[in-house]
Structure formats: structure tokens, C-alpha cells
Amino acid sequence: MDPEPDANVIVGRDHPLVLRGGASACVSGLTLRDAGGLSRSLSWKAAGADGIEATLPLGKTRPGPLTLTVVRHGAVAPDQIALTGRAEPSRLDRFTVHRGDKDGVLEGARLDQVAGLTLGGTRFAAGALTRVGDGDRLVLTTDAPLGEMADTTASVQLRDGRSASVPATVAPARPVVQLLDRRVAYDPPAGARPIELPAGLVPTTATLTFSARIADGLRGAEDGIEIAAGDATKRLTIASGAVQRVGDDVLVTSIAPQAAFGPAVSGDLRVRAWRGGAAGDWQTLARLVRLPVLTGIECRDSCTVTGRDLFLIAAIGTSPDMAGAVTLPGGFVGTSVSVPRGSDGTLYLKLHDAGDAVLRVK
């Protein structure tokens, strides 16, 4: 495993560290030893299939060499990773907050020493601290949304009682999306029984066209919207032609989720506006679901349902309330399933991708 982004860590505070390059499930122990020979066991958590995250307790550690030992299940010898502990001077670069926001971001170094910040009489309290590249980003929060303000300098209060000044930018308000209308175009595979979806569910293989109003409009060619599924994000801009404007503040666009995000995409599809380099808040556009292909239903004393991708079904029954429904085991790979015969032969499904919704098979 190798550390990200490099083997240099900052002493004098807890330091987050990500290791990648091996199966996270194989790690059984993590130990940190400093230059004086003091060893401490560390806790960690998985960061995907090939990495782990840990926090190094370096608040009282001096600069110098450090050794991280990674023990793996079944390994003959543990991995030894050399780290270098470095002292970092405090540095205040800039504070940025958007009009209408309750939080802003302070950039610099050793921002763990910051207790709060004051801008034009508005007090911000220190919040989440993250390491980005060779510096820090500290979120500072206030109680009420920030209004119009002309101040270009903020006062930073440090934990040791000192104060310092930092350049401040009050950026324009973030763009707000109001969804107006949408249309789903979906053709079931040849020979498949149509499945009726409740409002808000969209097949991953469909094409979703929607319109939205952006408060104060979109101005530049690189303005547009971002659409996200899981951790993946697609930006659609005016310049690319993917976003069409109707007047100054209404846009229309389309997205094919599976083509944009891959065949395994499912879950919430989210949208936000992007204007002048600033993003608005995410809103849910739809919930994406993968659909099984049901090709046959034969009923006598009971009904046999045939098709493919039946593993996507959580339960199948013959009434809208799913009373007496058959629950399919997780990972089911069969091509048929038997269910009790209903009064009119209609089938109803619950999917793993949307377990709270009932779908009707036409």
C-alpha cells in the first residue's frame, strides 16, 4: 500500500491518511512508530476495495521519520511504510463566502489553530477541516444567511488568543434550480411485459428530458447544470450544446442515465445549477431503477413467471398490498419463479433498487 498524496505528514495535530494498493479486507492491524521508538496501534476503515483510511495521532509528535506497519491476514511479514513528519507554519490565504450562504471556506495551512472568524460584524465558528494538496480548507459557519456586504478583509481568531487578518471575498449568491417539467422516454426490450412505474422512478435505460428555472439565469458559455448519480458527476454546459436556454432563466436538457454513468447505475439522480464557477445545492431529479425483463406468465393452480435479470426483484405478488408475495433470495439467478395465482392474473413487484415502491406488470 502507498500513502496518498505522498509520504509527508504534518505533525502537531491529527493527520488524515489514505493508503491504497491492496485489498482493504485483508488488513488486520495498523501500527505507527515514531523516531523515539514509541508504537501505537491505529484504527482504520475501508476506503473502497483497494484502500483504507486512518487518522495519525501526531498532536505531540516531533518532526522526523515515522514508520507505519500494515499487517495483513495470511501474510508472512507485515508491510513497512516510511513516512516523514514535517512541521507546518500557520498560513491564512483567503476566505470565501457566497451571499445567502451560512458557511464559507478559509484556505491556508495549520488551520486547526483557528477558533473563528469575523466578517463585517458577522461571526463564523470553525467547523470541518480537510487537507487539500499542500494546504487546509476550513469550513466556518454562521447562524443566518449572509446578506449584502462590502468588506474585503476578515478577522481570524486563533485558539491561542491572537487575531490575524485575511482577504475575504463575498461571492454572488449560488444559483438555485426550480424543476418545471419532465418526460421519460422508455421502450421495453422486445418481447418483455411492460412494467408500470410510480411517479419519480425512472428506468436506467430510459432517456429523461426535463426543464428547470435558474434564479437570475445563466450568463456565460460555461454555465449550465451538473447531474450526479452516486459519486459520478456530469456537467452539461451551454457551450457544449447539451443545455438549451428558453429566455434568460429557463433551460431544457436530456440525459440517458445508463449511457452517462454506466450499466450498474441506480439510486438517486441529482441536479444542481453551475454559474460563474459556483454550484448551487443538489436536488433530487429522479430515482433510477434497473428493471427485470419478464417474458412470460403461465397460470394454472399457480403462476410461473419467466424472464431474465430476475435477481433485481425483491418480491413478487398478485395484489397491490403485496400480501402473500414471494420473496426472492438475494443473488437469485434463476430464470423463473412460481407465485400463487391471483384473482385477475395481474402481477406486482418490489425491486431492490426501490424497496418502498410497488410496480405493476401490465
Side-chain angles (χ1 to χ4, degrees):
M1 285 188 164
D2 295 315
E4 292 185 354
D6 55 43
N8 292 313
V9 296
I10 303 302
V11 299
R13 64 174 185 181
D14 290 348
H15 186 101
L17 186 70
V18 177
L19 300 176
R20 294 203 180 277
S24 58
C26 293
V27 176
S28 62
L30 195 64
T31 303
L32 179 69
R33 186 176 73 251
D34 62 22
L38 177 64
S39 293
R40 283 168 286 184
S41 296
L42 308 179
S43 59
W44 76 94
K45 64 180 180 179
D50 66 340
I52 61 174
E53 295 178 353
T55 298
L56 307 184
L58 303 178
K60 297 182 180 179
T61 302
R62 295 181 178 180
L66 302 166
T67 302
L68 193 65
T69 301
V70 181
V71 180
R72 301 174 186 267
H73 293 291
V76 176
D79 296 331
Q80 302 283 343
I81 300 173
L83 303 174
T84 301
R86 298 186 184 280
E88 182 179 31
S90 296
R91 188 183 78 239
L92 303 175
D93 292 342
R94 67 190 66 83
F95 176 67
T96 304
V97 60
H98 287 265
R99 196 169 64 249
D101 283 3
K102 291 184 179 181
D103 53 65
V105 175
L106 178 64
E107 298 177 66
R110 288 305 308 269
L111 300 185
D112 56 308
Q113 300 301 314
V114 174
L117 177 146
T118 303
L119 176 63
T122 300
R123 168 76 177 180
F124 291 79
L129 175 67
T130 56
R131 179 80 178 172
V132 180
D134 61 351
D136 290 340
R137 286 170 56 91
L138 177 66
V139 175
L140 293 116
T141 305
T142 189
D143 293 332
L146 192 70
E148 294 284 351
M149 189 172 295
D151 287 58
T152 58
T153 301
S155 174
V156 176
Q157 293 81 49
L158 301 176
R159 297 189 185 279
D160 62 5
R162 293 177 299 154
S163 296
S165 298
V166 64
T169 299
V170 180
R174 299 181 186 276
V176 178
V177 171
Q178 177 191 359
L179 296 174
L180 300 177
D181 197 10
R182 71 176 195 173
R183 180 178 62 85
V184 178
Y186 171 68
D187 294 321
R193 298 286 294 265
I195 300 175
E196 187 178 87
L197 274 68
L201 298 188
V202 173
T204 59
T205 54
T207 297
L208 175 62
T209 300
F210 67 95
S211 59
R213 176 172 282 111
I214 310 299
D216 297 327
L218 299 176
R219 305 184 184 95
E222 295 305 318
D223 289 350
I225 59 170
E226 289 184 327
I227 299 178
D231 295 330
T233 303
K234 296 289 184 181
R235 183 176 299 173
L236 309 178
T237 65
I238 295 171
S240 69
V243 174
Q244 301 294 325
R245 281 190 293 186
V246 183
D248 293 332
D249 60 347
V250 174
L251 61 84
V252 177
T253 191
S254 297
I255 187 158
Q258 193 171 92
F261 300 107
V265 65
S266 64
D268 285 344
L269 187 69
R270 296 166 290 137
V271 62
R272 67 181 180 182
W274 178 270
R275 181 177 62 210
D281 292 331
W282 288 110
Q283 293 190 41
T284 299
L285 181 59
R287 185 190 295 185
L288 301 176
V289 294
R290 297 164 294 171
L291 295 181
V293 177
L294 305 182
T295 55
I297 302 175
E298 294 184 3
C299 294
R300 294 180 181 174
D301 296 334
S302 63
C303 294
T304 299
V305 182
T306 57
R308 58 183 173 84
D309 297 339
L310 302 187
F311 61 86
L312 298 173
I313 301 174
I316 182 168
T318 54
S319 63
D321 62 2
M322 300 299 286
V326 175
T327 300
L328 274 65
F332 178 77
V333 294
T335 57
S336 66
V337 60
S338 295
V339 297
R341 181 168 184 164
S343 58
D344 61 359
T346 303
L347 292 178
Y348 298 87
L349 308 175
K350 281 191 174 183
L351 303 177
H352 288 292
D353 289 345
D356 55 348
V358 177
L359 287 62
R360 177 174 172 265
V361 181
K362 297 182 181 179

